[in-house]
């Protein structure tokens, strides 16, 4: 009975950790949901459990590291990513539909 409970609860716990951590990092429910499905589904199936739990742990560690980064650094990273996004958007040619 204990093995069954552990096989059900452990993937749910890791999926919850991955969801909360990735939501803190990305702020998107969709991305968080997709990332949390990795440890949940692979843990329930019993395939690549160590890989899926490693992904959840790395997301958690990244969220903890990002939480202790100073605000000035976060603002700098945000400005740089916005500038990079604008540069990529400007470099992509516009496609027009044929009439």
């Amino acid at each position: 009975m204990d093995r069954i409970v552990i096989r059900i609860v452990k993937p749910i716990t890791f999926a919850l950790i991955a969801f909360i951590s990735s939501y803190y990092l990305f702020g998107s429910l969709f991305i968080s949901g997709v990332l949390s499905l990795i440890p949940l589904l692979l843990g329930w199936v019993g395939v690549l459990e160590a890989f899926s739990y490693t992904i959840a742990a790395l997301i958690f560690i990244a969220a903890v590291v990002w939480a202790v980064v100073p605000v000035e650094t976060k603002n700098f990273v945000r400005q740089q990513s916005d500038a990079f996004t604008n540069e990529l958007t400007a470099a992509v040619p516009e496609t027009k539909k044929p009439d």
Side-chain angles (χ1 to χ4, degrees):
M1 181 68 181
D2 290 337
R3 294 187 76 198
I4 295 171
V5 171
I6 290 173
R7 286 186 58 99
I8 293 172
V9 173
K10 188 175 179 182
I12 292 172
T13 305
F14 275 96
L16 187 63
I17 290 169
F19 180 81
I20 293 170
S21 300
S22 61
Y23 185 74
Y24 177 76
L25 285 174
F26 304 115
S28 170
L29 288 174
F30 178 74
I31 293 173
S32 301
V34 170
L35 287 177
S36 68
L37 283 176
I38 295 170
L40 182 68
L41 296 178
L42 291 179
W44 277 348
V45 173
V47 178
L48 297 170
E49 288 180 0
F51 172 72
S52 65
Y53 297 155
T54 302
I55 289 175
L58 289 175
I59 293 171
F60 176 72
I61 291 170
V64 169
V65 168
W66 190 248
V68 298
V69 169
V71 176
E72 296 84 22
T73 306
K74 290 180 183 179
N75 290 334
F76 177 74
V77 170
R78 183 175 295 119
Q79 290 171 352
Q80 294 299 317
S81 66
D82 289 342
F84 180 70
T85 303
N86 292 338
E87 183 178 324
L88 282 179
T89 305
V92 175
E94 292 186 30
T95 57
K96 295 182 180 179
K97 289 185 176 181
D99 290 330

